[in-house]
Amino acid sequence: MDLWERARAFAGEAAKRSQELSAEAAKRSSALVSETAKKSKEIFSETASKSREIAAEATKQADLLAGQIMHLASDLPVPSIPPIPAIPPIAAAASSEPDAAELERYGVTDDLREFVKGMTISTFRDFPLQDEPEVSDVPTVSNVRQDLNEWQARHATLVLSAVKEISKFRYELCPRYMKERKFWRVYFLLVNSYIAPFEKKYFEELKVKAEEEKKDSQKEASQASTTAEPKDTKAPSKTSSTNPEHDLDVFLLGDLGSDDEGPVDGDDGLDDDFDKIDATSGLESDDDDKKPATGKAEDAK
């Protein structure tokens, strides 16, 4: 019994001591929490105060700097900036949307569109045309084979962009069911009655244009040769001659062959002087001839 009483007394004492310790720990924890909250509040207040001071100082410095910049800007001359011209809107590419005149020139008409709408894939695939050996060195440019002539190549390019049915057929058929060459051969055979007049007109216009350019080039060449070799139409001078004797006669006698010049006064007297000179020369020559004859007569005697 004494042992049991002691054990119960010891348990009661332990429980009482535990309660006291718990109360003391709770009291100390509460005090610590209060102290921590108080310190945190003080730190937060101090941080907020410092932040407000820093913000006020930054605002003050920014206002001061802005004032200095405005003062400097007011002293600088303001250059006159010319007005920026309005930028026109960018037009769509001509190749993406061909005009009606070009479509008409290359035979892409409403009648052709209606005819193409009645075609199907079987129209191309079942067309009675044998495959020809493919030419490996023929290039393909802009989805169109270059073994077509000039007009056909442009027509094919336009019809691919303007008639969606042809573009769809070509995408589904080439090269799975047929070669590119066969596709365009079948197409041009099917639409030949619709495009033949436009193709004929195109090449006739090219022929006429080529003839006109040829005539213009020949005309320019003839004009250039005429300009490069001008003809000398001036009449030769009557007083100029390469014969020195003729020049001497002209100097002494004057230009007697000119019909434009009239008789010059004193020519008759000059002719008389020359006649006298000729007469004297003739007399002297006669005397010279007589002298040898007289000498021969004396020798004979």
Side-chain angles (χ1 to χ4, degrees):
M1 293 296 294
D2 293 337
L3 185 60
W4 177 254
E5 289 292 335
R6 284 182 178 181
R8 191 168 65 177
F10 181 75
E13 188 68 24
K16 184 179 178 180
R17 187 66 179 169
S18 177
Q19 289 177 357
E20 290 176 357
L21 292 174
S22 296
E24 186 68 21
K27 185 178 178 180
R28 290 186 179 184
S29 296
S30 178
L32 183 60
V33 169
S34 298
E35 187 69 21
T36 303
K38 184 179 178 180
K39 290 291 184 181
S40 298
K41 187 176 180 180
E42 291 177 356
I43 293 172
F44 178 76
S45 299
E46 186 178 358
T47 303
S49 177
K50 289 290 184 182
S51 298
R52 285 193 295 268
E53 291 177 1
I54 293 173
E57 185 67 21
T59 303
K60 183 179 179 180
Q61 293 293 333
D63 293 340
L64 181 61
L65 183 60
Q68 293 177 356
I69 292 174
M70 292 294 293
H71 179 71
L72 294 175
S74 61
D75 296 339
L76 295 175
V78 180
S80 59
I81 301 176
I84 301 175
I87 300 175
I90 300 175
S95 58
S96 60
E97 293 293 338
D99 55 4
E102 187 178 13
L103 292 175
E104 180 72 19
R105 185 183 186 189
Y106 288 94
V108 185
T109 60
D110 294 337
D111 294 338
L112 179 67
R113 297 172 190 267
E114 291 296 327
F115 178 73
V116 169
K117 287 180 180 180
M119 294 182 182
T120 62
I121 294 180
S122 300
T123 306
F124 287 85
R125 191 167 52 188
D126 301 336
F127 191 85
L129 182 67
Q130 295 181 354
D131 290 333
E132 293 185 356
E134 184 68 20
V135 182
S136 59
D137 58 348
V138 177
T140 302
V141 180
S142 301
N143 297 331
V144 177
R145 288 190 59 84
Q146 297 303 296
D147 52 359
L148 305 175
N149 62 39
E150 179 182 354
W151 188 92
Q152 290 176 343
R154 184 56 182 164
H155 172 86
T157 303
L158 292 175
V159 83
L160 283 176
S161 60
V163 184
K164 302 304 180 184
E165 291 82 1
I166 296 299
S167 180
K168 179 181 178 182
F169 294 157
R170 179 185 170 276
Y171 176 78
E172 295 181 0
L173 291 172
C174 299
R176 184 180 302 174
Y177 296 103
M178 64 177 60
K179 301 293 185 180
E180 184 85 14
R181 181 186 181 90
K182 182 179 178 181
F183 175 83
W184 288 114
R185 287 188 63 205
V186 172
Y187 168 79
F188 282 110
L189 288 174
L190 290 172
V191 300
N192 182 63
S193 59
Y194 292 90
I195 65 174
F198 298 96
E199 184 177 3
K200 180 180 179 182
K201 181 180 178 182
Y202 175 83
F203 285 107
E204 288 177 352
E205 291 177 353
L206 286 183
K207 184 177 180 181
V208 172
K209 185 178 179 181
E211 292 178 354
E212 292 178 354
E213 292 178 353
K214 183 178 180 181
K215 290 180 181 178
D216 294 340
S217 61
Q218 291 178 352
K219 184 177 179 180
E220 291 176 358
S222 62
Q223 291 178 354
S225 62
T226 304
T227 306
E229 298 179 359
K231 294 181 179 180
D232 188 7
T233 55
K234 294 182 179 180
S237 176
K238 294 181 179 181
T239 59
S240 63
S241 174
T242 57
N243 189 350
E245 296 180 358
H246 179 72
D247 292 341
L248 180 60
D249 294 339
V250 171
F251 176 74
L252 296 175
L253 303 178
D255 194 359
L256 300 180
S258 177
D259 295 334
D260 296 335
E261 297 179 359
V264 182
D265 294 338
D267 286 346
D268 295 338
L270 186 62
D271 293 337
D272 294 336
D273 294 336
F274 276 103
D275 293 336
K276 291 178 180 180
I277 292 172
D278 294 335
T280 306
S281 300
L283 292 175
E284 291 177 355
S285 61
D286 292 342
D287 294 338
D288 294 337
D289 294 338
K290 289 179 181 180
K291 285 180 180 180
T294 307
K296 290 179 181 181
E298 291 177 355
D299 295 335
K301 290 179 180 181

